[in-house]
């Protein structure tokens, strides 16, 4: 009933929408190349490998949230890594997850109008993004409850809400970014380059944490001043949600927290 009502509001065929989303989900799970750090080839090429990778990234961010005294700094690092992993996962697997040359297998048997296909494909991509976000955001949410500087339920809830917003917003921006990049860079070369960036990202974040964790003084020194330049990083917009929820928000935080909502409407 809810699907039929929503389909009517969107002007799409409810039966085709439901069928396309289900077929896309099954196909995407079979074709997914895997994301994250260098696990075994077999594991990285499976859904389980992707989820394990996201859990490991989430554990890393949870450790930062727990031990860093500056909550805004740890939140910004957390959402920077979340945005980067989601964006790169979708970009690297763009032709398997977002738009595939095999889509004609789904479309040929029964004519499907472009509006229905667009809504169904976008639903599938957002669902895939939420599936990668859930294991990533689980441990950080717990960390916001029990961090050394004093946790709060409001911070944990805000962290989950911000992560969900990331999962919805990133696919839309990735589609626009990929279409812009593929105009100037061949798709094969672009995929290879993004794969290298994804691999190097693992070493940058995890290596930086281990270097900082060698001394408690280094961890205590990690902080971010809330200057205007900091808010150029989109991750700080979501970190501002934690600041608002826990009552530390400045006027810039309140404005930054509103930006993702505006961007979602525009995208």
């Amino acid at each position: 009933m809810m699907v039929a009502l929503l389909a009517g509001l969107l002007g799409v065929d409810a039966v085709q929408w439901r069928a396309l989303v289900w077929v896309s989900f099954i196909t995407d799970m079979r074709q997914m190349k895997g994301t994250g750090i260098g696990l075994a080839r077999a594991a990285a090429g499976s859904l389980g490998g992707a989820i394990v990778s996201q859990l490991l990234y989430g554990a890393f961010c949870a450790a930062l949230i727990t031990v860093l005294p500056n909550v805004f700094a740890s939140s910004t690092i957390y959402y920077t890594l979340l945005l980067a992993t989601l964006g790169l996962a979708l970009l690297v697997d763009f032709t398997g997850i977002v738009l595939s040359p095999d889509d004609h297998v789904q479309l040929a048997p029964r004519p499907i109008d472009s509006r229905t296909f667009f809504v169904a494909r976008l639903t599938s991509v957002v669902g895939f993004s939420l599936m990668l976000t859930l294991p990533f955001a689980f441990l950080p949410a717990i960390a916001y409850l029990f961090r050394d500087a004093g946790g709060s339920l409001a911070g944990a809830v805000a962290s989950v809400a911000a992560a969900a917003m990331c999962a919805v917003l990133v696919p839309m921006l990735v589609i626009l970014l990929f279409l812009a990049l593929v105009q100037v860079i061949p798709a094969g070369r672009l995929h290879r380059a993004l794969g290298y960036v994804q691999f190097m990202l693992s070493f940058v974040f995890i290596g930086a944490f281990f270097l900082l964790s060698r001394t408690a003084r280094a961890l205590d020194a990690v902080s971010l001043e809330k200057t205007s330049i900091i808010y150029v990083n989109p991750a700080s917009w979501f970190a501002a949600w934690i600041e608002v929820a826990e009552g530390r928000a400045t006027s810039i935080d309140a404005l930054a927290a509103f930006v993702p909502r505006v961007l979602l409407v525009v995208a």
Side-chain angles (χ1 to χ4, degrees), residues 67-68 209-222:
V67 301
L68 289 183
F209 173 72
F210 282 117
L211 287 175
L212 286 172
S213 63
R214 292 179 65 88
T215 63
R217 183 178 302 175
L219 288 172
D220 292 339
V222 176

Side-chain angles (χ1 to χ4, degrees), residues 183-218:
Q183 301 300 316
V184 294
I185 304 174
R189 185 179 301 173
L190 179 60
H191 285 148
R192 286 193 298 272
L194 291 169
Y196 291 133
V197 171
Q198 187 183 40
F199 183 70
M200 291 301 298
L201 186 70
S202 305
F203 287 96
V204 169
F205 278 95
I206 296 179
F209 173 72
F210 282 117
L211 287 175
L212 286 172
S213 63
R214 292 179 65 88
T215 63
R217 183 178 302 175

Side-chain angles (χ1 to χ4, degrees), residues 55-141:
L55 276 171
L56 290 175
Y57 279 130
F60 161 67
C61 292
L64 284 180
I65 293 166
T66 301
V67 301
L68 289 183
N70 188 301
V71 180
F72 183 71
S74 60
S75 299
T76 301
I77 295 171
Y78 164 39
Y79 288 110
T80 297
L81 187 54
L82 176 59
L83 290 171
T85 54
L86 286 178
L88 285 170
L90 291 169
L91 282 169
V92 170
D93 279 331
F94 190 91
T95 54
I97 299 299
V98 181
L99 194 62
S100 171
D102 296 330
D103 283 335
H104 71 275
V105 177
Q106 302 174 30
L107 305 178
R110 182 177 181 180
I112 297 172
D113 67 88
S114 61
R115 188 181 187 89
T116 298
F117 177 72
F118 171 77
V119 172
R121 198 41 134 169
L122 191 58
T123 303
S124 300
V125 176
V126 170
F128 175 79
S129 181
L130 285 167
M131 184 181 64
L132 290 181
T133 300
L134 179 61
F136 197 120
F138 175 68
L139 291 176

Side-chain angles (χ1 to χ4, degrees), residues 228-249:
S228 56
I229 192 65
I230 294 299
Y231 293 93
V232 174
N233 178 5
S236 64
W237 308 341
F238 299 98
W241 288 35
I242 312 298
E243 301 297 291
V244 171
E246 296 188 340
R248 293 185 302 273

